Amino acid sequence: MEMRLIEGKKAFTWKGFFLQWEWMLVAIFIGINLMNMNLSEYYWDYNSLRDATMSFLDKAFIVLPMVFIIILGDIDISVASIVALSSVIMADLYNMGVPMPLAMIICLAVGAVCGLINGLLVVKFKELSAVIVTLTTMIIYRGIAYIILKDQASGGFPDWFSFFGWGYVGGIPFILIVFTVFALLFGLLLHKTVFGRSVYAMGNNITAARFSGIQTDRVKVIVFMLAGLMAAVTAIFLTSRMGSTRPNIANSYELDVIAMVVLGGISTAGGKGRMIGAIIAIFLIGFLRHGLGLVNVKAQVLMIIIGLLLVFAVMIPKLKRNKAVNKGS
Amino acid sequence: MNESGLSKAVTAGEPPAAAKRSLSATIAKFRELGLLGFILILMLAVQLRNPSFLTLENLNDMATNTAILSILAVGMMLVIITRGIDLSIGATLALSGMIAALFVGQFPDLHPIVSILLGTAIGLVCGNVLGFLVSKMGILPIIATLGMMYVFRGLTYMASGGKWVSAHQMPASFKGIATGSFLGINYLILTAVLVYIVAYYFVGHTRTGRQIYAVGSNPDSAKISGINTDKILWLVYSIMGGLSGLAGVLWVSKFASAQGDTATGYELSVIAACVLGGVSIAGGVGKISGVLLGAILLGILNNALPLINVSPFWQTGIQGAIILVAVLINAIVKRGVDRNNLMRRKI
Amino acid sequence: MKRMKWLTACLSVLLVMSLLAACGSNGGNNAPAKNGGGSEQGDTGSKEKRKYAIIFKNTGNPYGEKIMDGFKTAVEELGYEAILKAPDQPTAEAQIQMIEELISQKVSVIAIAANDPDALQPALKKAMNAGIKVLSLDSAVNAASRITHVNQADPELIGRTLIQGVSEMIGGEGQIAVLSATSQATNQNTWIEWMKKELEDPKYSKIELVKVAYGDDLRDKSVSETEALLKSYPDLKGIIAPTTVGIAAAGKVLTDKGLKGKVQLTGLGLPSEMAEYIESGVSQWMYLWNPIDVGYLSGYAADALVSGAITGAAGDKFTAGTLGEKEVTADGDGTQIMLGAPFKFDASNIAEWKSVY
């Protein structure tokens, strides 16, 4: 295993600037687009690309707080279940007569509460890792969703509700606009605020962070709450995309989200990574899927390609660094 | 607080301190006491609800159904101890099971041991790939195993050609791997017991086994103290792969069917069994006995939930609640045990 | 030097991916794309370029593969191009993405076996608004999401036949249970409803349905649920499993426990999966239908919709290749096209079907 160096401020070089992980992602992204354009005539079409974003951006909302969680060195695998639970509660309440806007606010509240519970369990029971806590709550939240809706679907939403998942504002998908706003907010939160610096500090060395005055417990709880909240945002958009909901929605979303985050260069060892990397990774995987889907690549081949992409994308900079380390020592 | 406790023990003289030490010594030795107690209470509760739970036949069914999970849990424990994780075991299981099943379909007259070796070999290959990626390439286990999970799963579908391998295509000798028994004990249970005995010896009584703990506990000092961390990491993933391969053959034999989507998501159950059993995700901590108990708890849940005759829509929720209680009890007991240990320390 | 290695590595990765994608794709989009076009019209373009698409529930499913084979045969018989898609996970979200991809490819028809009857509505409506004809098959979507539905067999007939079958097997009295797939599966629930309705008939007064268990189409869960049924209801006489994974799992459990003859088994299953258990007598007979025909019928129905031969309203008639004339009938809020009656598999014919599907 490598020694972890604390990165100080290095002198700015053009080479250093462009050899960063995020630029490599951009290069791969451009490469994927070139490949897709070559494969299918339907790809490089404004409508096709625009509508493609609506397919994969619903889970992108969870990626934003997940970056925080993974920088902290934790993980949250209950997010998919929180999506299901908040969606189910929203639909059920609406069909019981609660006005839709209020139901949506309650949906967000449910998500935040679920995240809050996750956070409290993680900080109150430090013997338990985030993995086991969120594994447990993953099962429980999904279980509650099943208890509420059983084998029924719940839907019949007002017409304006479909605007979330399907609507455009001035030709740009609404979901893309909302995502951009959230991405900016989370990016600023991570890179330009004390809160963000605390998260990095805690990810690097939590004991040192606590002793330097950071309220580690509070930061963790807030981060998990944000994850729950954004899961509820995903719930709203996903439910709008489907026009109805069941307890079994958002299956395996957590794996997709984690894949996007780690591809974005955020290390699960904690303390490293940048928001922009995750955002590029979202679009990278999304457009790759779309492009290959346009030539109707079989699902099994698509799986292999995505798997190899993940592995190779992480491997290439390691190859460079290994060579450098070997040369240096 | 600790000082006053210690000074009380010292000033109070020998007998009370000795009594306190022996009680806490016994508890400290068995960190999993909380889990064990919980399992016993759970079994009692289920038995009250449905008396056919604690019958020999049901216990046998439960053990047979849990055997595969427990074999995988041992491998996962080793991986988690080294601060890693392996999300690809379900896919490795499916791949080796599928290839083994296709193989016996082509060569039905070969001894079943050949298919077991074949499956295990495929699992070892998969595990070696992972070991290479994690140790030599330095890729984080979560990424490497997540990526290879997709690859192995895709390969499984491609190997199957979109078809399933069904019972009538498997020779009786192959199906007998999982249904046969020796001295009245099912082969699956025997295999699991064998794996546990070997693992117990390996982990607790060999140098390599101790080195695995060292690497997980503090990788940097392990490397400096001369342990070949690369080799250990590679080994751990290979073992996990081999066990997954073995489990694949056993699974396909047990259910007499090989599908492309076999064991999708199974890795989560295996990880749950490990962490329930006290294996720490932070690395360096984990006991075979704990993992066994964790697997048993999950096995009981899978077996008991349909028996207690609740609405199927409550099954997931109840399962989650029980796991939560088990986890919390384990945490609280561990907290108490650690506090006892601290108080017993002579400064 | 280092940057060269980095660039070549990136390029080789892309090259590998392109190669994989090229050999992994079906439907000949590659060649025309490279030549910069071919006709781009979607819906009613030149006859040769019309594309008919089918989306199944998940990949690697032999039943689904056969349906798609039948569809492809029909579409190619008609002289068009067939696009076969199936997601790796049986989720509605994945199918919504596939519908979007097909809309972008400007196909003429989407035939879909849905993972969720309601969740695809907005996506399919978008397809219909774009001029694409939508029909469902095997696993229906709600009437608002489709023009019509191709049904393999009348669900009422399926439900009633299964009860009649099990009743005959157990001699008209005793306890029976149902082992289903997931609790959310619509066609499962419809069949179970009809089973319960059939049981209301006084001639089944001595038969009691004690439980509906859900195996979630997972092998291990189906086994656990079957074992639990046998233990909780020691007097159980019959199990109906209208799901291919469930019935095979139940067959294995009954075989392993030596309960052949004591507990009867029937349901809907793949002949390949059930051959072992029918030949051994654990299950005396079971039912299904020919998925190749389902796909074939869907292909011709799709073409009839595109050409305007039918509009999907009840009473329309069209010719479905070698299957002959088919009629659109009413079905709840919508309409459907029926393939026929369920097909019975027993010891006399299982040998010929077990290698087909």
Side-chain angles (χ1 to χ4, degrees):
Chain A
M1 285 203 171
E2 302 172 27
M3 299 280 232
R4 278 234 308 266
L5 302 168
I6 302 179
E7 290 164 12
K9 284 231 173 253
K10 296 187 223 147
F12 181 82
T13 61
W14 281 110
K15 181 175 168 181
F17 180 67
F18 277 108
L19 275 182
Q20 285 170 95
W21 177 269
E22 287 79 12
W23 278 110
M24 193 197 73
L25 284 182
V26 171
I28 297 183
F29 180 68
I30 295 176
I32 285 176
N33 275 293
L34 289 172
M35 178 186 82
N36 285 338
M37 289 198 296
N38 200 29
L39 285 174
S40 168
E41 52 180 326
Y42 301 109
Y43 182 77
W44 200 245
D45 170 76
Y46 177 67
N47 290 333
S48 153
L49 290 173
R50 176 193 65 178
D51 290 355
T53 61
M54 299 205 289
S55 287
F56 61 78
L57 276 181
D58 60 327
K59 59 183 83 118
F61 291 103
I62 310 180
V63 173
L64 303 170
M66 189 66 91
V67 168
F68 281 74
I69 294 184
I70 294 192
I71 291 181
L72 276 179
D74 287 325
I75 204 162
D76 186 345
I77 49 179
S78 67
V79 283
S81 304
I82 300 180
V83 172
L85 181 58
S86 41
S87 168
V88 160
I89 290 182
M90 172 174 78
D92 208 35
L93 285 176
Y94 171 71
N95 281 302
M96 287 204 282
V98 174
M100 195 63 196
L102 181 59
M104 287 167 61
I105 293 177
I106 296 181
C107 169
L108 294 174
V110 167
V113 165
C114 289
L116 181 66
I117 295 176
N118 278 340
L120 287 175
L121 283 174
V122 169
V123 303
K124 289 290 171 232
F125 289 92
K126 294 216 169 45
E127 300 82 5
L128 302 173
S129 60
V131 173
I132 183 62
V133 168
T134 55
L135 183 67
T136 315
T137 54
M138 172 180 91
I139 304 175
I140 292 180
Y141 294 151
R142 183 76 68 173
I144 300 176
Y146 272 107
I147 293 173
I148 294 178
L149 261 198
K150 303 189 175 35
D151 59 355
Q152 300 304 307
S154 188
F157 301 112
D159 287 337
W160 57 262
F161 186 62
S162 64
F163 183 73
F164 281 88
W166 298 95
Y168 303 93
V169 174
I172 305 178
F174 179 62
I175 190 173
L176 181 58
I177 298 175
V178 175
F179 175 72
T180 314
V181 169
F182 274 116
L184 279 170
L185 284 174
F186 274 91
L188 287 172
L189 184 66
L190 183 61
H191 294 299
K192 296 289 182 201
T193 64
V194 174
F195 185 80
R197 298 310 300 166
S198 315
V199 169
Y200 274 109
M202 285 167 65
N204 265 303
N205 189 331
I206 193 159
T207 322
R210 187 178 312 135
F211 280 109
S212 60
I214 297 175
Q215 306 235 30
T216 53
D217 282 0
R218 205 165 66 151
V219 170
K220 272 207 184 186
V221 170
I222 292 178
V223 165
F224 276 96
M225 228 172 77
L226 283 174
L229 184 66
M230 295 313 283
V233 171
T234 294
I236 291 178
F237 281 97
L238 180 60
T239 313
S240 167
R241 288 284 285 173
M242 301 203 294
S244 65
T245 186
R246 281 178 182 268
N248 61 356
I249 64 169
N251 198 359
S252 295
Y253 264 30
E254 68 274 353
L255 278 182
D256 294 338
V257 167
I258 290 173
M260 290 173 191
V261 173
V262 293
L263 183 62
I266 289 98
S267 164
T268 48
K272 271 187 351 177
R274 286 200 295 220
M275 186 61 75
I276 188 73
I279 295 175
I280 300 174
I282 294 171
F283 286 92
L284 200 156
I285 296 183
F287 281 121
L288 176 65
R289 277 223 156 100
H290 182 72
L292 291 177
L294 284 181
V295 284
N296 305 308
V297 169
K298 289 182 82 157
Q300 39 262 54
V301 177
L302 184 58
M303 287 180 88
I304 297 182
I305 293 179
I306 303 251
L308 288 176
L309 172 72
L310 274 178
V311 170
F312 275 115
V314 185
M315 200 157 80
I316 294 173
K318 299 275 182 187
L319 279 170
K320 286 175 28 244
R321 213 172 299 156
N322 281 351
K323 291 258 157 49
V325 167
N326 285 339
K327 263 200 195 154
S329 54
Chain B
M1 178 195 56
N2 285 348
E3 288 88 343
S4 58
L6 265 176
S7 50
K8 261 202 219 129
V10 164
T11 52
E14 278 305 307
K20 189 199 263 185
R21 222 175 291 144
S22 59
L23 183 61
S24 42
T26 358
I27 295 180
K29 275 209 184 85
F30 205 22
R31 271 198 203 125
E32 285 74 42
L33 188 68
L35 190 56
L36 181 64
F38 183 72
I39 288 179
L40 291 172
I41 297 175
L42 185 64
M43 288 173 86
L44 229 71
V46 176
Q47 173 69 359
L48 285 173
R49 177 88 183 190
N50 187 337
S52 56
F53 179 64
L54 283 180
T55 56
L56 202 63
E57 190 197 351
N58 189 42
L59 290 174
N60 195 31
D61 284 341
M62 198 158 61
T64 319
N65 290 342
T66 319
I68 295 178
L69 178 67
S70 47
I71 293 175
L72 291 169
V74 168
M76 186 65 86
M77 177 186 98
L78 296 176
V79 169
I80 297 183
I81 286 179
T82 64
R83 296 193 184 180
I85 200 161
D86 191 342
L87 297 173
S88 66
I89 57 166
T92 310
L93 193 159
L95 182 60
S96 41
M98 176 62 73
I99 294 182
L102 289 170
F103 182 76
V104 281
Q106 292 293 318
F107 304 104
D109 296 318
L110 287 175
H111 195 277
I113 202 84
V114 176
S115 53
I116 294 181
L117 288 174
L118 175 66
T120 314
I122 294 171
L124 275 171
V125 168
C126 296
N128 269 294
V129 170
L130 285 174
F132 169 72
L133 289 174
V134 172
S135 64
K136 284 281 178 270
M137 289 283 107
I139 301 181
L140 281 169
I142 194 168
I143 308 176
T145 57
L146 186 62
M148 292 317 282
M149 172 182 92
Y150 289 127
V151 174
F152 295 149
R153 184 63 69 178
L155 287 174
T156 311
Y157 282 120
M158 294 182 83
S160 70
K163 298 199 244 293
W164 296 349
V165 181
S166 307
H168 80 265
Q169 293 163 298
M170 298 178 190
S173 57
F174 183 73
K175 284 179 283 204
I177 296 176
T179 52
S181 55
F182 179 72
L183 295 180
I185 306 179
N186 184 289
Y187 280 142
L188 288 178
I189 303 178
L190 276 176
T191 317
V193 168
L194 198 65
V195 167
Y196 268 87
I197 293 177
V198 170
Y200 182 74
Y201 175 72
F202 175 68
V203 154
H205 300 277
T206 62
R207 196 129 66 107
T208 323
R210 300 316 297 170
Q211 283 178 349
I212 295 179
Y213 280 95
V215 167
S217 199
N218 192 330
D220 295 327
S221 37
K223 183 180 281 186
I224 292 174
S225 68
I227 297 175
N228 189 340
T229 48
D230 281 354
K231 192 185 86 164
I232 295 286
L233 284 177
W234 196 315
L235 179 70
V236 158
Y237 286 96
S238 304
I239 294 178
M240 177 82 251
L243 287 174
S244 304
L246 173 65
V249 178
L250 295 178
W251 180 296
V252 163
S253 165
K254 178 178 197 302
F255 296 108
S257 169
Q259 292 171 231
D261 57 356
T262 301
T264 307
Y266 204 59
E267 48 273 350
L268 232 43
S269 302
V270 176
I271 293 173
C274 285
V275 286
L276 274 174
V279 178
S280 169
I281 288 287
V285 175
K287 290 175 68 171
I288 294 280
S289 53
V291 163
L292 182 62
L293 284 179
I296 287 177
L297 175 62
L298 283 184
I300 291 177
L301 277 179
N302 287 333
N303 180 285
L305 278 176
L307 280 178
I308 57 177
N309 207 21
V310 287
S311 159
F313 308 111
W314 281 79
Q315 274 188 10
T316 317
I318 293 177
Q319 186 179 36
I322 293 180
I323 293 181
L324 179 66
V325 172
V327 162
L328 289 178
I329 288 183
N330 211 11
I332 294 174
V333 166
K334 190 162 176 294
R335 198 180 278 185
V337 160
D338 286 346
R339 203 167 287 161
N340 269 339
N341 277 340
L342 269 175
M343 294 208 295
R344 280 174 53 224
R345 263 176 63 204
K346 293 189 173 66
I347 298 179
Chain C
M1 214 32 231
K2 261 183 257 172
R3 204 176 295 194
M4 278 298 295
K5 283 214 175 93
W6 179 69
L7 272 172
T8 46
C10 281
L11 284 174
S12 49
V13 167
L14 288 171
L15 184 65
V16 167
M17 294 204 301
S18 311
L19 284 173
L20 273 175
C23 48
S25 77
N26 44 24
N29 279 343
N30 291 340
K34 281 203 158 66
N35 295 338
S39 108
E40 282 198 12
Q41 273 317 299
D43 317 356
T44 50
S46 63
K47 211 169 197 289
E48 274 66 62
K49 285 298 177 190
R50 258 197 248 169
K51 290 185 281 253
Y52 290 16
I54 181 171
I55 303 179
F56 193 68
K57 292 197 277 196
N58 59 352
T59 190
N61 185 328
Y63 176 77
E65 299 285 322
K66 289 296 170 194
I67 287 188
M68 293 200 280
D69 282 347
F71 185 81
K72 187 162 185 231
T73 309
V75 169
E76 286 176 354
E77 253 175 41
L78 290 161
Y80 305 126
E81 185 189 319
I83 296 179
L84 315 174
K85 280 173 105 64
D88 60 81
Q89 293 257 31
T91 60
E93 293 91 331
Q95 287 187 322
I96 293 178
Q97 194 153 8
M98 293 192 157
I99 295 170
E100 287 273 24
E101 287 159 9
L102 290 172
I103 297 176
S104 296
Q105 291 178 66
K106 301 189 171 59
V107 298
S108 313
V109 169
I110 295 178
I112 183 160
N115 284 320
D116 184 312
D118 304 296
L120 302 172
Q121 188 172 329
L124 289 174
K125 273 220 160 97
K126 181 175 173 185
M128 291 199 276
N129 288 339
I132 300 175
K133 307 283 181 223
V134 171
L135 63 134
S136 57
L137 61 131
D138 181 62
S139 178
V141 290
N142 63 32
S145 315
R146 70 184 200 225
I147 300 179
T148 186
H149 172 61
V150 173
N151 208 336
Q152 52 270 30
D154 189 351
E156 178 177 349
L157 202 57
I158 294 175
R160 292 193 190 277
T161 311
L162 286 172
I163 292 289
Q164 285 157 13
V166 85
S167 169
E168 205 180 309
M169 285 181 192
I170 64 177
E173 66 179 286
Q175 291 180 330
I176 60 169
V178 170
L179 175 65
S180 182
T182 61
S183 54
Q184 312 287 324
T186 335
N187 41 8
Q188 293 284 321
N189 292 336
T190 316
W191 297 329
I192 294 173
E193 281 307 310
W194 281 112
M195 283 187 224
K196 290 183 181 163
K197 279 223 174 67
E198 175 75 1
L199 281 171
E200 286 166 11
D201 190 312
K203 70 178 177 224
Y204 302 115
S205 58
K206 294 213 191 72
I207 296 185
E208 184 196 351
L209 175 63
V210 290
K211 185 164 180 186
V212 175
Y214 296 102
D216 287 356
D217 263 346
L218 294 171
R219 227 22 98 144
D220 47 344
K221 186 143 193 271
S222 300
V223 165
S224 300
E225 290 284 344
T226 311
E227 288 173 348
L229 281 174
L230 293 170
K231 270 170 238 137
S232 305
Y233 303 100
D235 293 324
L236 195 68
K237 287 274 182 306
I239 298 179
I240 303 178
T243 150
T244 52
V245 172
I247 191 175
K252 184 88 183 24
V253 171
L254 292 176
T255 308
D256 289 346
K257 291 193 181 288
L259 288 171
K260 176 180 99 167
K262 301 200 195 82
V263 180
Q264 300 293 335
L265 175 65
T266 186
L268 304 172
L270 284 174
S272 58
E273 284 282 297
M274 288 303 289
E276 166 101 355
Y277 309 114
I278 291 190
E279 280 165 4
S280 71
V282 164
S283 169
Q284 291 180 45
W285 66 80
M286 62 151 197
Y287 303 90
L288 199 67
W289 42 82
N290 192 338
I292 306 176
D293 286 346
V294 178
Y296 188 81
L297 176 58
S298 306
Y300 272 94
D303 184 59
L305 282 171
V306 171
S307 66
I310 63 173
T311 58
D316 282 351
K317 289 196 178 56
F318 67 102
T319 317
T322 54
L323 288 174
E325 197 182 70
K326 290 287 171 192
E327 184 182 346
V328 181
T329 55
D331 161 54
D333 291 336
T335 62
Q336 66 177 357
I337 302 167
M338 198 75 72
L339 177 64
F343 186 79
K344 182 172 169 185
F345 293 98
D346 56 26
S348 66
N349 59 8
I350 194 72
E352 79 172 274
W353 284 103
K354 68 183 180 192
S355 47
V356 179
Y357 63 97

